C-alpha cells in the first residue's frame, strides 16, 4: 500500500514539474534527448565516415567493410565509438538548441509577419536560422569530436598512426580543448566554422522543409504513426544532406589540417580549401564517404525527428496548431499605441 502511495506521489511530483516547465525548456529537453539518442545509434558509421573524409589513402581503398574490420582488429569494439563522447556532448546542446530555436524562430516569424503563409517556406527559413544558431554555440565541440575521431590507435600502448611526428595523442575531450586553445587560441576552436555555416543553413532549412512538406501530404489519421515519421525523416535527411555534403568534407579537412603529416599549404579559407581538394585529391573526394553518410543520415534524422515528437508528447507540449493559434491571437490584438 505504501509503495503504491509513494509511486502516486512521485507521479504527482513529476506531473507538477512538467506542468511548471516553460515551453522552451520542454523543447530543449526533447531536442537534446532526440539528438543524443540518434547520434549514439549511428556512431560507428560516423567514425568511418570521418576517416573516409580525412584519411583517403588509408581507409578509402579498403572500403566500408574493410574499414570496419580494420577498426575492429586494431581498436576493438570501443574503436567504433572513439570521439563519440565529444560527439554526444556536442549533439545534445546542438540538437536542443536546433529544435528549440526552430520552434522559437517559427513563432517569432508568425508573430512579426502575421500575413506570412504557414507553408514549407516558413519551415525552410526557421530551420536555416536555427541551424546557424546551434552551430555557432556548439562548434568547438564538433571540432574536438573530429580530432578525437581522426586518431587511429593500434593498441592501448601504440602511438597514433597517420599523425605528424611532432603531434601527441589527445587524451580526451578536456585535453583536446586545452591544447587546441593553447596552440591556436580562440580562433583555433572555430577552425572550419565557415563551411559549417555555409552547409548548415541550407541543410537545416531543407531538412525541416522536406520533413514538414512530406507530413502535409500524409492523411491526418496517419500523421501520428511512428513509421510515417521515420519515413519522412529519412527522406528529409537524405535529400538535405546530398545538396550540402561537399561543404562537410571541406569542414572536416580544415578541422584536422594541423594533424596531417604533410607539407601541403595551410588551408586558409572555405573556397581555397574546396579548390585545393579538387586540385590535389580530385572532385570525387568532395563526395568521399557520401554512401556511408546516406546509411547514417537515414536512421539518424529519422530517429531524431521521431524521438523529438515522442518526447514533446511525453512532456505535454501543445500541438503546433494550438500554439500558432495563440500566436495568431496575440499578433491580432490591438496595440496600446494604435
Amino acid at each position: 500500500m505504501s509503495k503504491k502511495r509513494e509511486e502516486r506521489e512521485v507521479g504527482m511530483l513529476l506531473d507538477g514539474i512538467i506542468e511548471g516547465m516553460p515551453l522552451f525548456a520542454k523543447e530543449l529537453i526533447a531536442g537534446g534527448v532526440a539528438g543524443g539518442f540518434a547520434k549514439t545509434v549511428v556512431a560507428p558509421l560516423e567514425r568511418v565516415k570521418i576517416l573516409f573524409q580525412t584519411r583517403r589513402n588509408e581507409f578509402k581503398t579498403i572500403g566500408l567493410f574493410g574499414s570496419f574490420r580494420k577498426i575492429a582488429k586494431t581498436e576493438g569494439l570501443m574503436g567504433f565509438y572513439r570521439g563519440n563522447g565529444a560527439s554526444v556532448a556536442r549533439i545534445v546542446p546542438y540538437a536542443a538548441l536546433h529544435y528549440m530555436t526552430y520552434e522559437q524562430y517559427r513563432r517569432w516569424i508568425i508573430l512579426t509577419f502575421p500575413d506570412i503563409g504557414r507553408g514549407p517556406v516558413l519551415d525552410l527559413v526557421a530551420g536555416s536560422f536555427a541551424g546557424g544558431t546551434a552551430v555557432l554555440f556548439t562548434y568547438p565541440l564538433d571540432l574536438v569530436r573530429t580530432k578525437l575521431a581522426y586518431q587511429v590507435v593500434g593498441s592501448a600502448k601504440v602511438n597514433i598512426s597517420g599523425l605528424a611526428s611532432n603531434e601527441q595523442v589527445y587524451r580526451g575531450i578536456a585535453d583536446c580543448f586545452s591544447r587546441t586553445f593553447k596552440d591556436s587560441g580562440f580562433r583555433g576552436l572555430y577552425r572550419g566554422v565557415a563551411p559549417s555555416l555555409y552547409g548548415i543553413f541550407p541543410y537545416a532549412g531543407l531538412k525541416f522543409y522536406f520533413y514538414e512538406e512530406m507530413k502535409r501530404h500524409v492523411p491526418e489519421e496517419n500523421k501520428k504513426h511512428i513509421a510515417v515519421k521515420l519515413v519522412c525523416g529519412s527522406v528529409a535527411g537524405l535529400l538535405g544532406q546530398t545538396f550540402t555534403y561537399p561543404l562537410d568534407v571541406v569542414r572536416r579537412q580544415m578541422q584536422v589540417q594541423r594533424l596531417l603529416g604533410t607539407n601541403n599549404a595551410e588551408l586558409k579559407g572555405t573556397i581555397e580549401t574546396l579548390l585545393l581538394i579538387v586540385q590535389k585529391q580530385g572532385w570525387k573526394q568532395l563526395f568521399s564517404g557520401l554512401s556511408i553518410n546516406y546509411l547514417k543520415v537515414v536512421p539518424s534524422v529519422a530517429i531524431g525527428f521521431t524521438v523529438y515528437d515522442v518526447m514533446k508528447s511525453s512532456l505535454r507540449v501543445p500541438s503546433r496548431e494550438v500554439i500558432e493559434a495563440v500566436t495568431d491571437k496575440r499578433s491580432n490584438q490591438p496595440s496600446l499605441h494604435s
Side-chain angles (χ1 to χ4, degrees):
M1 197 68 159
S2 60
K3 186 176 181 180
K4 289 184 178 180
R5 190 186 305 116
E6 289 178 2
E7 291 177 353
R8 196 182 309 115
E9 290 175 353
V10 170
M12 291 175 63
L13 178 62
L14 290 175
D15 288 342
I17 293 173
I18 291 175
E19 292 299 330
M21 290 172 60
L23 180 59
F24 79 89
K26 293 180 181 181
E27 292 166 348
L28 277 172
I29 293 172
V33 172
F37 186 81
K39 181 62 70 174
T40 301
V41 170
V42 300
L45 287 168
E46 178 73 10
R47 174 84 200 284
V48 175
K49 186 197 79 169
I50 291 176
L51 292 173
F52 265 46
Q53 290 177 328
T54 57
R55 290 171 172 268
R56 183 168 63 105
N57 294 331
E58 186 177 351
F59 279 87
K60 188 177 179 181
T61 55
I62 60 178
L64 174 61
F65 295 107
S67 299
F68 271 105
R69 285 194 295 269
K70 180 180 178 69
I71 293 173
K73 182 178 179 180
T74 59
E75 302 181 59
L77 178 63
M78 294 308 297
F80 293 107
Y81 292 89
R82 181 172 298 279
N84 189 55
S87 182
V88 171
R90 178 195 74 93
I91 202 63
V92 168
Y94 171 84
L97 283 170
H98 194 177
Y99 285 106
M100 187 274 288
T101 54
Y102 162 72
E103 304 284 4
Q104 294 290 330
Y105 280 130
R106 202 174 189 279
R107 290 192 285 269
W108 177 81
I109 292 171
I110 293 172
L111 186 62
T112 307
F113 307 98
D115 295 330
I116 196 170
R118 301 296 192 274
V121 174
L122 175 62
D123 299 307
L124 179 68
V125 174
S128 297
F129 280 104
T133 301
V135 164
L136 286 175
F137 277 95
T138 62
Y139 185 80
L141 285 166
D142 182 54
L143 178 77
V144 168
R145 183 275 303 264
T146 300
K147 286 190 173 186
L148 291 174
Y150 178 80
Q151 298 179 157
V152 180
V153 182
S155 70
K157 297 182 179 180
V158 177
N159 290 332
I160 299 298
S161 65
L163 300 184
S165 58
N166 61 341
E167 291 286 350
Q168 298 178 347
V169 179
Y170 292 121
R171 294 187 294 273
I173 297 174
D175 181 55
C176 188
F177 257 117
S178 62
R179 280 206 273 156
T180 300
F181 183 78
K182 183 179 179 181
D183 292 342
S184 308
F186 187 76
R187 290 184 61 183
L189 294 175
Y190 277 86
R191 175 175 291 276
V193 72
S196 294
L197 290 173
Y198 298 154
I200 199 62
F201 267 94
Y203 172 64
L206 289 171
K207 184 174 69 173
F208 280 104
Y209 173 95
F210 288 127
Y211 182 67
E212 297 297 337
E213 178 63 13
M214 283 187 292
K215 285 203 305 182
R216 286 187 181 93
H217 296 284
V218 175
E220 195 64 37
E221 63 272 15
N222 296 327
K223 284 186 176 181
K224 293 185 178 180
H225 292 177
I226 290 181
V228 171
K229 297 179 187 296
L230 287 171
V231 171
C232 291
S234 299
V235 177
L238 193 111
L239 292 174
Q241 189 71 186
T242 301
F243 292 113
T244 60
Y245 189 78
L247 288 170
D248 190 44
V249 175
V250 171
R251 171 171 61 108
R252 297 298 184 198
Q253 293 213 10
M254 289 182 72
Q255 288 175 336
V256 303
Q257 191 266 339
R258 289 179 63 84
L259 302 179
L260 294 170
T262 66
N263 295 320
N264 289 340
E266 185 175 356
L267 308 178
K268 294 182 179 180
T270 303
I271 302 301
E272 292 177 15
T273 303
L274 183 68
L275 295 175
L276 190 61
I277 291 174
V278 173
Q279 181 183 358
K280 299 292 186 181
Q281 304 173 28
W283 67 269
K284 290 184 179 180
Q285 179 63 18
L286 294 175
F287 294 91
S288 179
L290 181 58
S291 58
I292 299 177
N293 214 49
Y294 283 149
L295 295 176
K296 184 201 76 164
V297 163
V298 168
S300 179
V301 177
I303 291 170
F305 274 125
T306 303
V307 173
Y308 177 64
D309 285 343
V310 170
M311 284 297 299
K312 284 202 301 181
S313 178
S314 301
L315 293 171
R316 299 165 200 168
V317 175
S319 67
R320 188 170 292 149
E321 290 75 15
V322 172
I323 296 175
E324 288 180 1
V326 174
T327 304
D328 283 333
K329 184 178 179 181
R330 189 184 309 163
S331 66
N332 291 327
Q333 287 179 348
S335 171
L336 292 175
H337 302 285
S338 61

